[in-house]
Amino acid sequence: MERDELTPLEAHARIEALRERIERHNRLYYQAARPEISDREYDLLVDELAALEEKYPDLTRENSPTRTIATDRTEGFAPVTHPVPMLSIANTYAPEEVREFDARLHRMLGLEAGRPLEYVVELKIDGVAIALMYEDGRLRYAATRGNGVVGDDVTANVRTIRKIPAALASAAAPAPPGRFEARGEIFFRRPDFERLNDDRARQGLEVFANPRNAAAGTLKLLDSRLVARRPLDAVLYAVGAADAPLPPTHAEVLDRLDALGLPTNRERRICRSVDEVLEAVGRWETGRRRLDYDIDGLVVKLNDMALRDRLGATAKSPRWVIAYKFSAEQAQTRLEAIEIQVGRTGVATPVAHLKPVLVAGSTIHRATLHNADEIARKDIRVGDTVVIEKGGEVIPKVVRVVESLRSGPEKLYEFPASCPVCGGALRRLDDEAAHRCVNASCPAQIKGRLLHWAARSVMEIDGLGDKLVDQLVDGGHVRDIADLYGLGAGQLAGLERMAEKSAGNLVRQIEASKARPLGALIHGLGIRFVGATGARLLARHFESLDALAAAPEDELLRIDGIGEIVARSIREFFSEPRNLRLIERLRAAGV
Ligand code: IVH
């Protein structure tokens, strides 16, 4: 998109919008462990923001996401201040940018282009960053990156990881005196991840979308006995604070970690020049498929520690390191049909049914088509051969049609006029790309609202998954969230695949959800434009749901972070008699 033509006012609006979007995706990735977009899409947003900030320096802010590290901190963990900040790494997607990185280092260090620099190329494991602090050889604490300065204390959880020693040292290397902080990544190997998901599916629990989300979610469990049942793995790849002197090269630092009994990744290579780095990059583009864990790229690190010190860091990342990220894997397959899925807000999303195809290690059957405009813009027809792409963590998407493979029978798609679930009208509101089912009692919407209410990030009713919700709604047991609180164990035990024990568990879970904080409750109501953040802001301002329900628009507008659209939507929600009745019934149930 051409953005050179923006007026300063437009640039301002765009910058604000980008910051908000990036911050939302930061929360989804680092705190909720449920990203909605690929790393590549995320990086493009950050690049666009950085370019605008460079062009309009007056609009730059200290706390812009281009200059700060998104936090992974979540409730329930004590803070740990890192003795040395835990930074992030600058990303590139093109081999030429790795060359530019090398040229930049030569320039900054005042070296001639002819004198090659030495690098270590490592795998960029897609997991969660961790800092392990050892004191006189004993593990003192383990902390997440947090916002780079203060992280979460996850020691109890990390102690359950078999590969992480409680004490350092071996015959070859005595324990280092004083502080020795090893840094690395916590992750799941794919077979372990699949076993975990199979177990969860059998218990009717929500499955994790990928190993990275599973690792992030597991590390932040509040009960370390649950963590102990999941086989997390770890590799260490750096030293943070250290009282004793370190070896002069990174390669030797890694060997030292090994000698101390800390797990490192064997797949590392010393490259004597940037050309050798690029060779390694080329090999891993395909080589990564034979690994039994996910990597999202390579990390290229300057080997000489003294040169590193001379280069230093920006606010976000050290200058001596760069990540080369792999692009999303693509594949071609046939689009066999288009189906409409209706979500909790009534939005009707077209989904492509594909001839199954293997992409990035998993078989893809479906891909999102977003909305009617996207189908028209890409001229997608039923029967087309399409290119699909999987960014690792997101639902795969259809990138484009291979027009040269059209043979005639492909059919134009007409967006249905009525909801495939309830038969109600599908309408398109003026300002939206989406079609919506306008029938609020549409079973698909009811199911969506129940699943949203039960979600881990909302009222946390573990065990209320989609199979069960289907049965509850289709069987006429539940019509809205308040009905959940009238369910008895006897009634549940009559359902398919529901043993007495799990029925009892579920009833207890539902009961426990009554005590969730106000923010979760507000979020769970599904007020349009009020997500997790908005709900948190509202809960901080109002002491009860009644106070919120009674608040006039101007009071809402005085809350920092609540704009006109959100305020109006809140007023609309609380002036709807149906919603007021629902709240009354929730209250009567003790929520
Ligand atoms: S070095 C500032 N090496 O990638 C440099 N990081 O996108 C310290 N990561 O926060 C990190 N594999 O969580 C390094 N071999 C590796 C890595 C690695 C994965 C993660 C790490 C970091 C993130 C940056």
Side-chain angles (χ1 to χ4, degrees):
M1 204 182 295
E2 183 61 57
R3 298 222 170 267
D4 283 342
E5 311 302 329
L6 295 187
T7 66
L9 209 63
E10 285 168 338
H12 187 103
R14 181 73 191 153
I15 285 176
E16 281 303 312
L18 282 167
R19 281 184 189 147
E20 237 168 75
R21 263 171 82 186
I22 293 168
E23 279 160 8
R24 184 174 108 80
H25 290 301
N26 283 343
R27 285 190 297 273
L28 284 167
Y29 185 89
Y30 287 106
Q31 294 178 305
R34 288 160 172 274
E36 287 178 1
I37 59 174
S38 68
D39 289 8
R40 177 80 175 128
E41 288 168 296
Y42 173 85
D43 286 338
L44 287 172
L45 293 175
V46 177
D47 287 349
E48 188 189 340
L49 178 57
L52 280 172
E53 287 179 340
E54 195 170 339
K55 190 151 177 224
Y56 301 94
D58 293 353
L59 302 178
T60 313
R61 271 200 275 123
E62 274 294 291
N63 65 352
S64 166
T66 55
R67 301 169 167 226
T68 52
I69 293 179
T71 185
D72 68 39
R73 296 212 55 204
T74 50
E75 258 165 62
F77 295 95
V80 174
T81 303
H82 298 298
V84 178
M86 276 179 94
L87 299 180
S88 157
I89 312 182
N91 287 334
T92 64
Y93 289 86
E96 313 83 74
E97 292 179 42
V98 178
R99 260 188 211 291
E100 283 165 26
F101 162 73
D102 175 63
R104 192 160 60 238
L105 296 200
H106 274 88
R107 231 175 15 251
M108 294 178 76
L109 293 167
L111 297 176
E112 306 151 39
R115 251 193 67 197
L117 282 164
E118 203 169 272
Y119 297 99
V120 176
V121 173
E122 295 172 14
L123 304 188
K124 187 167 183 325
I125 295 186
D126 204 3
V128 187
I130 194 80
L132 306 176
M133 178 62 87
Y134 288 89
E135 268 176 28
D136 294 328
R138 305 207 66 86
L139 181 63
R140 275 293 310 266
Y141 67 77
T144 66
R145 183 171 82 172
N147 61 2
V149 178
V150 181
D152 275 342
D153 184 333
V154 289
T155 312
N157 289 348
V158 167
R159 283 195 193 277
T160 69
I161 302 174
R162 287 226 306 276
K163 286 251 189 87
I164 294 183
L168 295 181
S170 68
R179 292 176 312 164
F180 183 86
E181 184 195 14
R183 291 181 175 179
E185 202 84 358
I186 304 283
F187 66 102
F188 276 115
R189 287 177 191 269
R190 229 178 285 118
D192 292 330
F193 162 75
E194 272 151 24
R195 231 167 293 144
L196 169 66
N197 260 357
D198 286 348
D199 281 352
R200 290 181 67 83
R202 258 196 302 281
Q203 295 171 49
L205 301 175
E206 205 179 353
V207 296
F208 292 105
N210 59 52
R212 194 262 160 201
N213 294 5
T218 302
L219 202 58
K220 292 293 184 87
L221 285 172
L222 294 170
D223 183 348
S224 58
R225 284 168 304 180
L226 298 177
V227 182
R229 289 195 216 142
R230 302 185 187 172
L232 282 171
D233 207 333
V235 298
L236 286 310
Y237 45 61
V239 175
D243 289 330
L246 290 176
T249 65
H250 177 65
E252 291 163 287
V253 169
L254 294 176
D255 293 340
R256 169 78 51 91
L257 291 172
D258 267 336
L260 290 169
L262 289 161
T264 64
N265 197 332
R266 300 309 315 158
E267 306 285 356
R268 57 180 186 249
R269 188 186 198 93
I270 301 178
C271 295
R272 315 263 168 215
S273 67
V274 71
D275 289 316
E276 284 187 35
V277 169
L278 290 171
E279 264 173 54
V281 165
R283 266 198 308 275
W284 280 112
E285 287 278 4
T286 49
R288 63 170 155 151
R289 293 198 195 117
R290 64 179 167 75
L291 298 170
D292 77 346
Y293 47 88
D294 286 354
I295 62 173
D296 56 347
L298 302 173
V299 183
V300 182
K301 301 176 176 176
L302 191 62
N303 197 20
D304 186 314
M305 303 298 271
L307 291 183
R308 284 189 184 189
D309 286 343
R310 279 174 55 196
L311 288 165
T314 68
K316 253 182 123 159
S317 41
R319 295 197 180 85
W320 44 261
V321 58
I322 198 157
Y324 173 84
K325 304 250 276 187
F326 301 126
S327 303
E329 278 195 57
Q330 298 191 332
Q332 280 190 15
T333 189
R334 214 177 91 95
L335 188 157
E336 295 181 324
I338 296 178
E339 183 203 70
I340 299 291
Q341 257 177 22
V342 180
R344 76 181 156 92
T345 58
V347 169
T349 307
V351 174
H353 282 237
L354 306 166
K355 181 163 173 245
V357 60
L358 198 67
V359 192
S362 48
T363 308
I364 306 300
H365 302 262
R366 289 139 51 92
T368 177
L369 295 168
H370 301 289
N371 54 51
D373 286 350
E374 280 290 296
I375 297 177
R377 194 173 61 81
K378 294 179 181 155
D379 186 23
I380 294 169
R381 305 180 192 179
V382 177
D384 267 336
T385 300
V386 291
V387 174
I388 62 161
E389 183 179 288
K390 191 162 167 273
E393 60 277 68
V394 281
I395 314 165
K397 64 179 177 200
V398 173
V399 183
R400 63 186 171 85
V401 168
V402 187
E403 269 178 58
S404 58
L405 292 179
R406 270 195 186 144
S407 58
E410 297 80 13
K411 278 211 274 313
L412 279 174
Y413 178 72
E414 209 176 309
F415 212 89
S418 55
C419 171
V421 181
C422 71
L426 282 188
R427 292 251 172 73
R428 192 168 170 167
L429 305 180
D430 299 337
D431 55 342
E432 289 191 336
H435 285 73
R436 281 175 193 272
C437 167
V438 296
N439 169 18
S441 358
C442 171
Q445 291 186 46
I446 297 177
K447 289 174 186 174
R449 286 197 289 266
L450 291 169
L451 287 170
H452 170 67
W453 181 260
R456 235 185 299 157
S457 56
V458 189
M459 296 293 273
E460 245 189 291
I461 310 181
D462 236 13
L464 189 60
D466 40 10
K467 301 258 158 48
L468 188 56
V469 164
D470 281 350
Q471 288 189 63
L472 289 173
V473 175
D474 296 342
H477 303 285
V478 168
R479 274 157 296 122
D480 57 31
I481 49 182
D483 284 345
L484 288 175
Y485 296 89
L487 286 173
Q491 198 177 357
L492 285 170
L495 298 174
E496 224 178 285
R497 287 196 298 170
M498 177 58 84
E500 216 168 276
K501 182 156 159 253
S502 29
N505 274 339
L506 182 60
V507 170
R508 266 191 300 283
Q509 288 269 345
I510 293 176
E511 188 59 33
S513 75
K514 291 180 180 174
R516 300 282 178 258
L518 181 59
L521 178 74
I522 298 172
H523 185 195
L525 290 175
I527 305 170
R528 222 172 146 210
F529 304 121
V530 178
T533 315
R536 220 178 310 126
L537 292 175
L538 294 167
R540 216 178 290 155
H541 186 86
F542 296 101
E543 59 204 26
S544 67
L545 194 59
D546 291 329
L548 169 63
E553 204 166 308
D554 54 341
E555 178 174 3
L556 293 168
L557 283 171
R558 278 200 298 275
I559 302 173
D560 199 19
I562 302 288
E564 253 167 64
I565 298 175
V566 182
R568 197 168 322 132
S569 164
I570 295 170
R571 283 312 326 142
E572 272 166 24
F573 183 89
F574 288 108
S575 49
E576 183 84 49
R578 194 159 36 97
N579 294 334
L580 296 177
R581 279 197 300 277
L582 178 73
I583 290 167
E584 209 30 65
R585 286 174 49 229
L586 285 171
R587 186 203 322 281
V591 179

